[in-house]
Structure formats: structure tokens, C-alpha cells
Amino acid sequence: MILRDPVHGLVSFETPELSIVVELLQCPELQRLRRIRQLGLTSFAYPGADHTRFAHALGSAHVMTRFIARLQGLHDALPYWQRITTERTRDAVAAALLHDIGHGPFSHLFEEALPAGPKHEVWTTRIILDPSSSVHRTLVRHDPALPQRVAQLILGDHPLQFLAHTVSGMFDVDRCDYLLRDAHATGVSYGSFDLDWLLRSLRLGFAESTDASPPLAIDGDKGLPAIESFVLARLFMFQQVYFHKASRAAEWMLSRILIRLRQLLLDGDRTEAVPAALRSLLCTEEAALGDYLKLDDGALWGGIAQWAEHKDAILSDLCRRLYNRNLFKTYELFGPGRTAEAYETLLHIARDLAQQKGLDPEMYVGLDHATDVPFEDEKDSLRVIFPNGLSQAPADVSFVLRRLRGEKLERIRLIYPPEIRNELLGKASEQCL
Amino acid sequence: MILRDPVHGLVSFETPELSIVVELLQCPELQRLRRIRQLGLTSFAYPGADHTRFAHALGSAHVMTRFIARLQGLHDALPYWQRITTERTRDAVAAALLHDIGHGPFSHLFEEALPAGPKHEVWTTRIILDPSSSVHRTLVRHDPALPQRVAQLILGDHPLQFLAHTVSGMFDVDRCDYLLRDAHATGVSYGSFDLDWLLRSLRLGFAESTDASPPLAIDGDKGLPAIESFVLARLFMFQQVYFHKASRAAEWMLSRILIRLRQLLLDGDRTEAVPAALRSLLCTEEAALGDYLKLDDGALWGGIAQWAEHKDAILSDLCRRLYNRNLFKTYELFGPGRTAEAYETLLHIARDLAQQKGLDPEMYVGLDHATDVPFEDEKDSLRVIFPNGLSQAPADVSFVLRRLRGEKLERIRLIYPPEIRNELLGKASEQCL
Amino acid sequence: MILRDPVHGLVSFETPELSIVVELLQCPELQRLRRIRQLGLTSFAYPGADHTRFAHALGSAHVMTRFIARLQGLHDALPYWQRITTERTRDAVAAALLHDIGHGPFSHLFEEALPAGPKHEVWTTRIILDPSSSVHRTLVRHDPALPQRVAQLILGDHPLQFLAHTVSGMFDVDRCDYLLRDAHATGVSYGSFDLDWLLRSLRLGFAESTDASPPLAIDGDKGLPAIESFVLARLFMFQQVYFHKASRAAEWMLSRILIRLRQLLLDGDRTEAVPAALRSLLCTEEAALGDYLKLDDGALWGGIAQWAEHKDAILSDLCRRLYNRNLFKTYELFGPGRTAEAYETLLHIARDLAQQKGLDPEMYVGLDHATDVPFEDEKDSLRVIFPNGLSQAPADVSFVLRRLRGEKLERIRLIYPPEIRNELLGKASEQCL
Amino acid sequence: MILRDPVHGLVSFETPELSIVVELLQCPELQRLRRIRQLGLTSFAYPGADHTRFAHALGSAHVMTRFIARLQGLHDALPYWQRITTERTRDAVAAALLHDIGHGPFSHLFEEALPAGPKHEVWTTRIILDPSSSVHRTLVRHDPALPQRVAQLILGDHPLQFLAHTVSGMFDVDRCDYLLRDAHATGVSYGSFDLDWLLRSLRLGFAESTDASPPLAIDGDKGLPAIESFVLARLFMFQQVYFHKASRAAEWMLSRILIRLRQLLLDGDRTEAVPAALRSLLCTEEAALGDYLKLDDGALWGGIAQWAEHKDAILSDLCRRLYNRNLFKTYELFGPGRTAEAYETLLHIARDLAQQKGLDPEMYVGLDHATDVPFEDEKDSLRVIFPNGLSQAPADVSFVLRRLRGEKLERIRLIYPPEIRNELLGKASEQCL
């Protein structure tokens, strides 16, 4: 198989050990990812952000073939049992392709709006291990133990530490693909980094003992700026895209819709157009796998389109707004006045104003906290090594990373309906907020 | 309004005459375009081709602002009544934004699968002229005659010839945006061309009489290679993307699904999940505007998902295949053996083989004709002018275009199910096809 | 060795068969190419066109490593004697690196200004075969027959037809690199094409007999647009860059300078700052290799700087103009009036005007003919093959190339000094030129 | 004037206030910049880094036109005397074009090798103020006070603080152009940043008093990531390019050549091919302007080529090595062992080894210190402002910049000849260095 990808250019899976990619791509569980946007509601803020989980899965598998090629160029120094065999290649590429297969509609957003339900990682494991899934049957055809092995690998569990970290680590195929892909689709160039150079700088570090496998490492002489810019690319994408105020507001609205829908369902309302899995998740916090696999963005948008006619005024209003992109507004504090108390004050003011307009304060006003730690020096996830045998943590040798280690990025925003905008800004100004 | 577009970079609509863009973007009819992919089923062939009609509409409006800026830099030489006023700017940008608003699910594909129904241009006009549409009401707020004027302009009808041709002509905002956007999303770099240089080379030609407006023109000294590469970009996109075998096969399958569905509906079958507009279009070749506006890609995919369980074996089989991307194969002839007779022979062989496998020959085997004329020297759509006052048609001065003028690009392919592949290739080889 | 190239990204020569690149790069004859601009005086027209022959040589060697990797992926079907051995890899990469080593200052320009002297290909052969050159000694260290073999290969002479054509053919490493590099440096994006896809579409064609080697070929199914856009890229670069009026005018001026200098030297003038090789070439049409290797752009500019003070009024005036970029103007005819007679008339008018201003008509006015055939279907240089075994010439299957085959691109311009511009334009207009 | 720039695309200077650019470009002092590479000897490390000061000057003038356009879009709120008039536009663009006109051969390198001579800023001022320069005469034709005003502006001195800071400040046209240009030419993508977005985020801050002009500012809501990535781009370019070991080694060699040449000249040696300005600078630390303007890269390379035959063994050896790129090696310490003492030990070891090989220790071995402070929060050079009127220093609101403020980047390397490499590495390893 050979195809064109807008991010990586020419992508091919042609050798025998990569044939598993072609087979897995024929599974309905993977084709479902074509109907799930990678960035949820972000296209409300960035009109090009319509790329799908499917393209990301393919891209991750492609990046894995590049990691493998590089690691094979390095593995001659390893004991035999630590080398990248054709079986390990197959396993790693399958894991890369399947690592996100459990995502629901709108990706992360869906699980965040249903905090009590299973996370996407759980669904991923279920899909791979369930004997009825097409993915499972495809894996088993290669090796009965393969589903279990791939599921473990996705969780970062593998005898070869460095291989596990290519699937799940500080510098893994998931991040490599999504940063470049999200940057390409949004037009936010800051998300780019030099993948060629990073891969070329990849090394194997020093094993802690003779029966341990070595960690992933970067050549300190050539690779440091590459890994720095990789970390910074991720930081920028969080600041610019993943924490964008319009998509955060849309996401908050979606979560209110699901909360309201749940209330109605628990109250015995016979709302229509609720996909079985969603109904079950809302009412019982669980769902059958077969039902879950019928969920996709279109199914949820179809529901929202119908609930916009619902007799419950709150549900229908929220659905109508979201469907037609009439988004709530946000208000953020900067400078010395940016305190938790100030936000609480803002929240009270806004909720009062909403109530005065006849809007349910809980469903129309809230605080949105977005946080991320752009760079944590996870133990042994990636080392930096030097010609003379020195091995260091990235933060110990990098000018930039040393200054970012463990630092938390945090954005807090008041979310409120446009109807109260003028009064809110007036009162905020009065109180010097 | 200011936003990031992956194709054009920073896009802004901030001056008073562009405020109409911001208002129109709030109309549900425009928001619907977020749910319609620009290239229909092409993402089956190019996994990045998930961009929407919405992004294209925005991009076209942006390109129009650039055309206008350029034309205003040139219009001092014109009589007053031919200059680009703020009203004309507003009209042109609205036309650019709305030019494709009538598209149904999967864009062109939908109307091609329903050849007897209204074309998307008809729906575009209806949406703009219908007093109940939000788009109409927004236009009327500016000027009661605006809906009519914008609808005319989209059809290429305007007192200023050069302005009409920016909306619909050889070098118009639609093509400028879709070529760049489709190239960006598919990763097919051939679709790129130098928009900056083309705009900078834009001129106004010589009016035929004092009461006529001048045609659009290109500076012969600087702009010729730019317009040549624009034409060639389009040719390449047809060859590489729009005529790609996998998407043509998928499109053919979708048309069979709709044909079969129509048969079933006309036979009185009570198929579920058929959106009202689709049902009406299939049975009566017409639909109510309100129903039509509820159609989008998700609605059609939702139907296909359900019809995959339909009791009609043909409908459910075709739907299952398309839903899970089990596409039909294609066979194309090259070289001296590429004759109409050879294709007819192939068709008969394949239909026989299908029949032997118990597959309906009409619904499982067919010939697909794709044709385009990459470059027609449309009268006065674009002129090439020289410092000394010479005005020529592009094909008369261009080394490349002279050799392409009026030439037809044509791809014919047999479409058939994978089940008969081996037998078909065997028989084709026997017959030297 | 690993380095960054702005065109190809990461470039590396690390395997044993590529060590010859690292060794050759240390030769003074190759380092000299750092001091010769790839595009002569083109930076007068495109301020970014300062890239050197050295970068092009490196890039060509890199592209050759990519051709080799691709051909090795295809060569299993060949008889043993036709495969790409490590020796052939080394030979081909050396040939790619050295193919232009004989260029003089300002690249092609220098030999065009000295039509009776040896061409750069002759100097290339001399450098490789001369036992005193560092390049020769480096090659001999690998194999005493290597200089001869590399020199032959550069001329397109090798037992393996397909390998010869990667060095010198319709689709060779030289063109692959210079088109991309010149496009990158000038900012003329039309010169780009999709090298990745072209290489991936590369095939071996069908040998004419069992003891013949196969020709280079392109996969007709996937590669046709790629080779079309490659040919068109070259056409565009000729139109936009290589035939640019300002650089053509500058080149014409340089040729006049050398003509005048030759007259003076032959008349016994003791002009200073004439590099030995140049003096010898001007007076005897030959030069010693050691002297030739001391020529570079800086040496010629140094001479021009000094001749700008020469007592001969014509030489000093021309040198002063060129040194400070006071270029001659050009006048070109378009449309039906573009005839040989019209150009002759123009030439006479301009020469008369120059004479009236006291300027030597031969040294200040002339006609510049620039011609190229963008696409010739050279026999067997590249074939297009199809899955069913059909083999065709590109022009026989390509929509675009069929229409360009053998067509000649021609630009003729009058070159004249700015002093006579107004009178010339006036008279041209009078005569409707 | 309209031209193509590989960095900025289409560049034009067509309005009357920009005509000064076209006039200045005709001055020999500007044309000289075509013969001076922007990055000195960096093309020894990055083979694409052959771009010139001329392209950078043009690019800076272009970026200034973009700053001006943006500031004019903002200046309505200012009192009349603070607005950007056509005169101020002309002055600012002239300053941008001329800001680096005083550079000598190999740019910064030349003045670093001659620490006692005038800096390039001094030469810039001299060229502008000297009545005999063509630049001066061109400026005076516009306004007798213009040379003085432009010279002041280049030094960052202007009644309008914000205008001064576009020429010389944290975010100025010089940096904007050189970062993008150096990134483009070297292929080091980290040097890119989003100029469009940065300019769009540009604001005017709050003036300290009614008779003060406002500072340059960035919109805190939209522009923060843009300015962060601008600062980081510069940091990356220092790490990757400006501090590259091969170019630092080459630069150190050039400085030794000039030191040696100076010794010889002061000792009365009659070395040939020493340009008058260089001879004068070496012997007297001054030079006549006319002589200085004859210096360029070619003149210095011409000298080096000849000194390679000099009878002084040290001078000729160093020149031969540099001319043919036989560069000295570098050795750098990392990790906890990186102390000043360790470097001193290394230096002594290496000098001893050099002496044993008969090489002058001072001329063949040294320590190279490269330092830069990537981000200093210069007072008022750039502010960050928020919708509610808050004005902050970038480091006070930026997650990244807060952590970089005032931090010093430092690279120290031992520079030594390849002859002693093995012994040196052996001894360093013995001493755990």
C-alpha cells in the first residue's frame, strides 16, 4: 500500500512485516475513525481542523516505521534478544496504528464530558481484546498472543524499554504525528519541528544492567535543539490551539448538553435520537462494545440536530446554539489581578446576571480550567548521551528545558452567554477585574 | 474577525464593507457547510482530504478581498461608474462566500448521483432568494435588492465584466481557493500555484467600447508563467485527485446505492432513516428547501449505516461495502488498445463474471467516464496585455497554453467487485486487453 | 558525514561505499566550486540566487544515493551482472559529485562568453584524468581505472544504460537537483516538483535483448503526473529564470567585456589583473589546468573592479556598469509583429542611436537569442511502463507531453544602453514595433 | 520595482515614498553588499548559507514597509505629530535598507578579527555621512538633513520611540529578516516564526506622558505565542548555526591569519595582495573610507589564495588550510565536568601537543568563547497590552520568556589542529575530560 499524506508525504506499507497495517485498515473499527475528527470541536476556532483520527492513526503507524528503521540501524550493538525482529516490528506498527482506536465522538472531548465512564484507553483495550472485533481476529490470525501483546505495548509495557517508549513516552509516535498534523490542519506553524533530524539524532542509551534494555536517547552533540523544539512545539500547540477560547467554550457547552440530557433521561424523559451507547453511558456509566462502535461525530451531530427541537427549553437552546455555532463567550484575567478569588467573584457576578435574564446559572455560566505540564522529565523516557559516554536527563543539559521542567501551564476562563456580555464587562471593570 | 487558515495564513474581515462576511457566517445555512466535505468521498483515496465546504467558502471570500484590493489599485484609470465601490466590494465578497452554499452531501457527488434533481447552483439561488432563509434576511438588511444581485453575480452576470469574472471565469476566486486547498489537504503539491504573483500581474484589459467595462487581464511581461502554472495546476489536480480511481469507484457505488434506494422507495418499500429531502428527491426529483438544508454528510452516512441492515440484499451489501470502505476495483486500458470496443468487451466479460457469482450485473459492474477540458480559451474571460497596448488571448501568446487549448482529458475505467478480479484479469490478458 | 541542505533537508554520506564523497570533498578542485555561483549573474535579477556549484554538486550526489536506493529495490529481477554493486554505487555517486567540476567563473556564462575555448565538460574530463589533480589521486586510491570510468559515466557512457541515464538523461540527478535548488534560491516556486513520488514511481523498463540492460522507466499508473510536472518545472524555470531579461543583459555585457579585453590583449595592451588562465584563453583559446583551477567568481570580479579604471574607455565603462549593476535594457516583441525583420529593424535603429551618443554600436547594442527545447523524447532515456507489460515513450501516453514534444521555446531581445531608451521607444512606437 | 525574494515572496517598492529604495539600490556602496556573504564562513558548515548582505538589506527594507503599513493602521489614535508621515516612511525604509551597509568582508567576522578597528556601525555612519558617498548624495537629494536623520535612526535614536524600535529593538526589522533568511538558507527550520501573525498582533502601547510617544506593543490576547516563538527562533539559530563548531573554528583560523599578517606587516614584510584598507587597518587600526569600500569577500579570498604561497610558513599554512577547508577541530565539555579549570587543562595539553608537532601553540590552539543572552527584557523595547488597559513586560506574562529572561547561553570550545587529535582525545580521556 502506498498513499499520499499531507503531513508525511509519501507513506508506504509494503514489506511483509507491515502487511498487518493493510489488514487492520480493512477492519470496521478502524474505518470508524474516519468519522471522528482528531480535534473535536476545534474546527469552530480553526476552520481547517477537520482532520480525522483515521489520518492520525495512519500517520502514527508511518512514524513508527521510521523509528523502527532508525532503531534497526542502531541495534547491532545490542544482545540478540534485544534487537528489533520482524515480529517486534509488526507488533510496534500495529500498536501505533491502534493506539487511539477507542476514541469516541469528538475525541478527548467525549470522555471529558462523561467523566464517570470508561476512558478511551479502556475502550482501546476492549476493542483489541474482544474476540468478536475484527481487529482482534486480524491480530489473532498472526499470533494468538498478539492482541494481549499489542494492548500491553499501547500501555507502555514491553520487555524492551526503548520500544515501549516509542509508543508511549516523552518522544513517541503519537506526539510526533499529532503535533505535525494539528499544525498542518490549523495553520499554526509553531507546532512544527524537525522530525528527520530528531530521528537521525536518536540513539540507544546505556542499559542499567546487562539484563536490562537500554533507554531511548538523543545524541547530545546534534540532537538537543531538535528535542527542545519538539517540546516547545507541544507547548505552543497547547497555548494556541488546544486551549483556544472558542473551542474550550464549545466543549463546555457540549458537556452541559450531555449533563442536561442525562438529567432528562434519569428523570424518565423519552428523548429520541439518543444513540444506544450514549444512553447507556449516561444512565449506567457503561455501554456494550458493539453499541459504542456505532458512535461517531455524525451520530452525535445527528442527535444534537434533533434535540434542538426538544421540549426541554435548556436542552434545545444549548443544542441550537452549538449546532449553529452560537458559542458562549469567555473572560480571562491577566497580570497581578489574576487570582482564584477574582475568578470566584466573576463567576458570582455572571451567574447573577444569567439568572436575571432567566437563564439557568449552572447550565449557562461556569469556570473552565485548562492545565498542562509542557515538560516533565519522566524517568528514563529519553536520555541525552555524549561521545565520551556521559548520559544525562534532557533538563540537565538543555538551556531551555532546564528552565521549563515541571512548570505548569494554566488557563482559567469564565464561560458565559453573549446575552450578559455588556453588563458583565461593565461590572468587571467597576471591580477592576 | 481574524482567523488562521492553513492555506492562506492569516485571514481577516475587519473593514465595514466586509462586516457582511461576519454576519453571513452566523447563518445556519453557512454553518451547514461545516458538515459537508469539499471533496466528497476523496478521503477514501487521500486520507487528508477531510476539508469542508465551509473552509472553502471562507477561503473564497478571502481571495476575493485580495482581488478587490488589487483591482482597486488599478481602477483609477476607469470611468467613475466602473470603479470598485464599497457596495461592490460587499456584493462581491458575499457572492464569493455564498457561491457554493447550495451543495448537498459529498458536494458534486450528490448531484451527480441524482441527475434529474436540481443542480447545486439552483439550490444556491434558492437559498439566497428564499425570504425565509437566514442568508436572505441578512442580505436584505443591507439592501433589499442584494439577494438578487448576489445571485446574479454568482452566475457570472454583472455590469462590470471584470468583476463577474472574478466570481465565475477562467481565473476566479473559486478555483484559486479550491486548487490550493485541495492540494494542501491531499498532499498533492502539483495543485499549487503562485497566487501572490498572479494577483500582482492582474490588470484591466481594454474595453471594447466606451460604455463597456474592461475584461480581466494579465500582464504579458510578468504574468504569463503564473497563469500557465495555474491552468496546469488544475490539470494535474484532475489527473491526480479528482479522477482518482478509488474515489471514482466509491462515487460509482454511492450512485448505485441511491439508484437502488430509489427503486425500493418507488416500489413502496418503507426504508427507514431516509432524510426527507432525499426521499423526496428520489421519488419526485424535487425537495423542500427546509428539508434540503437538513442534509449533510453525517445524515447520509447515518442512512448508509442503517441501510447496511436493510432486508434488500443489494442495498445492504452496497452500503456495508461503502461504509467500511470495501471498494470496487477499476481496470483501465492504456496505449493503442484503448478503444471504445475494448471497453465494451471488458464490460461484457465483467458483467458475465458478476452474474456467475450471483451479483446483479447492473449494480455491480459498470463503465465510468471522467472527462474535463483543462483549458478553454473562454471569450474575454481573461486577456493578456503588453506594455505597447497589444491585447491577446492567453493561448495566442503562451507556449504551453497554445498547445492545450480545447484539448479533452478523458479517463474511462471498468468498475467491478473484487470477487471477480482474478477471473477478469485472466480473461483480459487472454484477449490482450 | 551528515549535513543540512536547504533543499533536501538532512543529507548523509555514511556507508563505506559513500566514503568516496567525503574524500573527494576534501579536494581543492571541489572546494573551488564554493567560489562559483550556480547561476552566474542571475542574482542581479533574483537577489537570492547566490547558491554555489558546490551546493549543487553535493545535492546531486545526494540525489544519486536516492536513485541508487530505489534502483537497488528493483534490481532483484535483473541478471547478476546488471545489479547495482557497491562499486557501481561508488562510481555513480562520484560521477554525480564531479559532473560539473569543470565549470569556470559564473558557470555556463563563462564558456558562452569564450565560445572558442574548451567547454566545461572538457575541463571536467581533464580534472578527473590529470594525474596531478587531487581528485584524480583520490579516485585512483580506490581503483586505478576509476578516473576513466567516472569520466565516461559523466558523458553518459556506461554498460548499464539505466545507470548512465541517472547521470545524464531526461530525468537525471543533475536536473533533479538544479531545478529544486534554483527554485529554492530564486523563490520561483514553479521549479518545484515531487522528487519523492518520482523516485517511488521509478522502474526498470524492458531490455531489448537478453544481453542488453533495461532502460529507466516510470510507472504509467502512478508516475505520469510526476514526470509531467518535472518537465514543466524545467520549462517554467527557463521562462522565468534562465531567460530573465536582466540576467541575459548582464551576461551579454560580460561577453562584451571579454571580447574587448581580448582585442586589447591581442593588440599588445598590458592590462593588469587578468588571471593567467583567462589571458591564455583569450589569446590562445587554451589554458593550463593549474591556471584554470585558480579561476573563480571572485577572481573575475577582482579583474572587473580593476579594469573599471582601465585607460580604454569602452572596457572601463562596461566594467563600471556591470560592477555596479547599471545594466543594459532589453526590448522584446510580442504578438503578430514578432518577426526576424522587425528585430533587424530594431537593431539598426538602436545602433544608430548609440552611435549618435558616441557609443560603439557593436559593444553597446545587440540581439540576444535564448532558445531551449523543453521536452525532447530522447530515445530510451526514459520509458513509461504499465502493469500489463506495455512500454511507451512518455509523449505517447502523456496528455501534456504529447503536446510539447520537440517544440522550441525562443526569446529574442534587443539589448541596448539606457541612454537611448526614450528615443528607441519613440522610434519603435512610430514603426509599430 | 518588484522582485522575488525566496524568503518574503513578492517584494515591491512602488509608491513615491519608497522610491528612495530604488535610488539607493543604484549606489555602489549598496551593490558592494552583493559581494559580502551574510554569514561569513558559515557556508563551511551549512552549504546553502551563501546568501548576501544585499539580500538581507532588501529584505529588511521590505519588512519595514510591512511594519509601516501596520503602524499606519494603528496611528489614528495618536496626536498628529506622532503619526507615520510619508517622510517618516521614507526615512524608516532608508534606515532599514542601510542599517548594515558598513559591514566588511565576511560580515561580523571581519570586525571580530580586528578588535581594535572601527565597528561596522561606525563604518555605516561614515558611509551615510560622507559627502563623497553615493548613498549620501542620494539622501541629500531628498533632504539635506536626511543623512544625519537616517544615521541617528539606525542607532535607535528618533523622537518616535516606536519607530526607533522597529529599526533597533527587541523586535526589529533586522532580526525579522535575518532569522527567516538564515533559516531558509541553512535549512534550519527552527529559525522560522510567524511574521504575519506577529505584525497583525502589533500594537502601540501606552505613552508615559502626553508629550511622549508610545512604545511598540504586542496584543496580549493574540500575540504572545508569536513573540515567544520569535525569541526562541533566535535562541535556536544561535545554538544551531551561529555557534556551529565548524564555522567557529574557521572564524578562529581567519582571526589567526589576520593576527599573523599584522605581525608580518609590522615587522616590515612586503606581503602582496593585501588590500589597502586591510593593510591600513592592521597597521594603524584605521582606513580611508574609499579603500574600505573596496573590501569584499572576493578581495579577502583573493588575498588568502596568494598568501597561501607566502614564505612565512605559519601564514601560508593557515591560509592553505582555510582556503581548502581543512579546518581545525573542536573539543567541548558537557555535564558536571564542564569547568573553567578543565578547559585550561585541555588548553595546556593541546598546546604542548602542538609544540611537539612543531606547530606554534598560540597560532594553532586556542579556546573559543561564544556567548549570547537570548532574551533580555530591554526597557520599553516591547510591551504586552491587554484589552482592559493592562500593560506588561513580555517576561511578566509569558510562560516561556519569564523563564529565559537574562539567562546567558555560553559555548566554550578548545580549537586545535587535526594532527593532534588522537593524542588529545587519549589524554582527555585519561584525565576524565
Side-chain angles (χ1 to χ4, degrees), chain D residues 39-56:
Chain D
L39 291 183
L41 297 172
T42 300
S43 65
F44 277 160
Y46 291 93
D50 290 311
H51 54 306
T52 65
R53 286 274 150 201
F54 182 81
H56 169 55

Side-chain angles (χ1 to χ4, degrees), chain B residues 169-181:
Chain B
M170 190 189 121
F171 172 51
D172 62 25
V173 299
D174 178 29
R175 288 185 178 180
C176 283
D177 186 75
Y178 79 66
L179 287 176
L180 295 176
R181 193 167 303 279

Side-chain angles (χ1 to χ4, degrees), chain B residues 403-421:
Chain B
R403 291 160 175 90
L404 293 181
R405 169 163 45 183
E407 302 279 346
K408 189 162 87 169
L409 179 68
E410 185 175 39
R411 305 290 293 261
I412 311 175
R413 295 185 182 97
L414 178 77
I415 297 193
Y416 66 92
E419 291 95 322
I420 65 169
R421 183 158 191 271

Side-chain angles (χ1 to χ4, degrees), chain B residues 187 189-190 193-194 197 220-222 225-226 228-229 232 235-236 239-240 245 331 334-336 374 386 388 390 392 397 399-400 403-404 407-409 411 433, chain C residues 187 189-190 193-194 197 220-222 225-226 228-229 232 235-236 239-240 245 331 334-336 374 386 388 390 392 397 399-400 403-404 407-409 411 433:
Chain B
S189 55
Y190 317 125
F193 61 92
D194 191 339
W197 197 262
D221 194 24
K222 295 186 185 300
E228 290 169 342
S229 88
L232 287 164
L235 164 60
F236 281 125
Q239 294 192 106
Q240 283 283 95
K245 61 186 178 184
Y331 191 85
F334 295 99
F386 292 88
N388 63 356
L390 191 69
Q392 303 263 293
V397 284
F399 181 78
V400 164
R403 291 160 175 90
L404 293 181
E407 302 279 346
K408 189 162 87 169
L409 179 68
R411 305 290 293 261
L433 292 169
Chain C
S189 56
Y190 317 125
F193 61 90
D194 192 338
W197 197 263
D221 196 23
K222 294 185 185 300
E228 289 169 343
S229 88
L232 287 164
L235 164 60
F236 281 125
Q239 291 190 107
Q240 283 284 96
K245 60 186 177 185
Y331 191 85
F334 296 100
F386 293 88
N388 63 357
L390 191 69
Q392 303 263 291
V397 285
F399 181 79
V400 164
R403 291 161 174 88
L404 293 181
E407 302 279 344
K408 188 162 89 171
L409 179 69
R411 304 289 293 263
L433 291 171

